[in-house]
Amino acid sequence: MGKIVDALKVAHGEVAELVLKSMEEPDVLEADGQAPVETAPPKQPPPGRVVPLPLRIARQTEAVPAVAPPEAPAVEAPARGPVLDPAVGRWQIRTLTLPVSDAAPLLSTKPAQASAAEQYRFVRTRIRHHPSAPATIVISSPGIGDGKTVTSINLAATFAQTGDEEVLLIDGDLRCSAVHAYLHVPGAPGLAELLAGKCSLQEAIFRVAQVPGLCVLPAGTPASNPTELLGSSHWPALAKALRQHFHRVFVDCPPAEAVADYDLIAQGCDGVILVVRPDHTNRALCLRALEKTRNKLLGVLINCTTDRMLQKQYISHYHSRREDKA
């Protein structure tokens, strides 16, 4: 969070002032004699790559299938269920090649995107060293257009690029889904059909060919009752199961102050990253979103900002020297 705070101190605008004010409030409480907020003890990371994924979310009248513990002997997977490949330690599910242009700010390795990619690595490092060791992370924003979907995709891809984690990106916006549109892939079947019991996880999820460690669960067909789907027992059961099978789960969530879906999704998560955008994010919405996410807030990510002059000069000089040596 140090680099984010430094960036906020030199930034201008109502978003930067608001975020700095909210981050200073805990210190004021402690100075007044009130007890500081206690942080949760570190948690062990989920095992991942061990237990077969559940075949289908059970309906209310069906019994939930039991999941074998890691110590249990391997059994033959159902015909429609995902199979674990022991050679690579990954699930054998369908793989899609994403037709994403290198000019787009998504999964790009071009030098033009090197600075942005490095900032996502900074965020990855901060999350990995966070005291609470968050495994399920919600990406939200105060309002529409702040850039939470692009942030969700790139942050999940950054974790998957390390090669030592199986990462799942979930499009949790069942009203205005956008992940599939950015990736140029079919949006259904997805989370909506899975929660309604209309498809299996194998039919809804896919792996990204460009980043083998990244799996995606799209939102599915826009549902007429998204709050009811997320408010049923199916979503908590699915979220709990996925925590055991993926090292990290990112959920692209609706804006925190837009609909009730955010509260239902964030209830079972470990932490929240709030994405704000200078000269765009509404001040009142940002203030309410910070208050709502305070208990689980991992940090605030400022989107669409320019590099500080010193940092920009250093990065340009660093990359030019590296190219000269090559």
Side-chain angles (χ1 to χ4, degrees):
M1 291 294 293
K3 293 185 179 294
I4 295 178
V5 175
D6 293 340
L8 287 172
K9 289 183 178 178
V10 299
H12 300 283
E14 60 182 21
V15 173
E17 296 176 359
L18 178 61
V19 174
L20 275 175
K21 178 182 176 182
S22 67
M23 297 174 68
E24 294 171 354
E25 288 180 359
D27 297 333
V28 175
L29 292 177
E30 188 174 357
D32 293 340
Q34 300 182 16
V37 179
E38 298 182 358
T39 58
K43 297 180 291 184
Q44 295 296 327
R49 310 186 191 180
V50 177
V51 185
L53 290 170
L55 177 62
R56 184 186 296 269
I57 298 298
R59 298 178 180 272
Q60 295 288 353
T61 58
E62 299 176 355
V64 178
V67 178
E71 296 78 8
V75 296
E76 184 178 355
R80 300 180 62 198
V83 179
L84 184 66
D85 187 350
V88 295
R90 291 183 176 139
W91 305 111
Q92 294 179 351
I93 55 179
R94 60 185 176 128
T95 300
L96 298 181
T97 300
L98 306 182
V100 178
S101 171
D102 287 329
L106 295 172
L107 311 177
S108 178
T109 57
K110 292 294 183 180
Q113 305 292 342
S115 177
E118 192 65 28
Q119 297 305 313
Y120 283 112
R121 295 189 189 102
F122 275 126
V123 179
R124 179 182 67 191
T125 302
R126 294 287 188 264
I127 294 176
R128 279 189 161 183
H129 292 84
H130 196 275
S132 64
T136 303
I137 301 172
V138 163
I139 311 294
S140 186
S141 62
I144 300 174
D146 293 323
K148 64 179 181 60
T149 299
V150 173
T151 299
S152 301
I153 297 173
N154 282 333
L155 194 55
T158 302
F159 272 87
Q161 285 171 348
T162 61
D164 59 354
E165 289 194 7
E166 280 277 85
V167 181
L168 177 64
L169 170 63
I170 301 177
D171 190 344
D173 195 340
L174 301 183
R175 302 171 187 265
C176 301
S177 58
V179 170
H180 71 283
Y182 276 106
L183 299 180
H184 302 285
V185 296
L191 179 61
E193 287 79 8
L194 188 61
L195 294 178
K198 298 179 179 179
C199 73
S200 66
L201 187 60
Q202 185 185 21
E203 296 169 330
I205 199 173
F206 67 87
R207 186 181 302 280
V208 178
Q210 292 96 320
V211 188
L214 176 61
C215 298
V216 179
L217 176 60
T221 304
S224 59
N225 58 339
T227 304
E228 285 71 21
L229 287 177
L230 295 170
S232 67
S233 60
H234 298 168
W235 165 249
L238 176 62
K240 182 179 180 180
L242 292 176
R243 293 167 64 96
Q244 303 175 12
H245 312 303
F246 289 92
H247 295 91
R248 206 83 56 173
V249 178
F250 292 92
V251 185
D252 180 23
C253 188
E257 286 298 314
V259 291
D261 300 5
Y262 164 82
D263 300 273
L264 298 173
I265 295 176
Q267 187 175 10
C269 77
D270 299 325
V272 177
I273 294 179
L274 197 65
V275 180
V276 297
R277 179 179 170 186
D279 302 324
H280 178 86
T281 302
N282 180 273
R283 181 184 180 91
L285 289 179
C286 186
L287 186 63
R288 293 202 294 267
L290 286 170
E291 182 63 28
K292 176 178 287 188
T293 61
R294 181 178 300 276
N295 293 335
K296 293 188 175 183
L297 186 63
L298 299 176
V300 177
L301 193 149
I302 303 179
N303 188 33
C304 294
T305 60
T306 56
D307 294 329
R308 288 177 292 174
M309 186 60 65
L310 178 62
Q311 183 185 34
K312 186 174 182 180
Q313 290 178 349
Y314 170 75
I315 291 178
S316 300
H317 176 67
Y318 177 81
H319 285 297
S320 63
R321 288 189 59 186
R322 185 173 63 177
E323 292 174 358
D324 293 340
K325 290 182 180 180

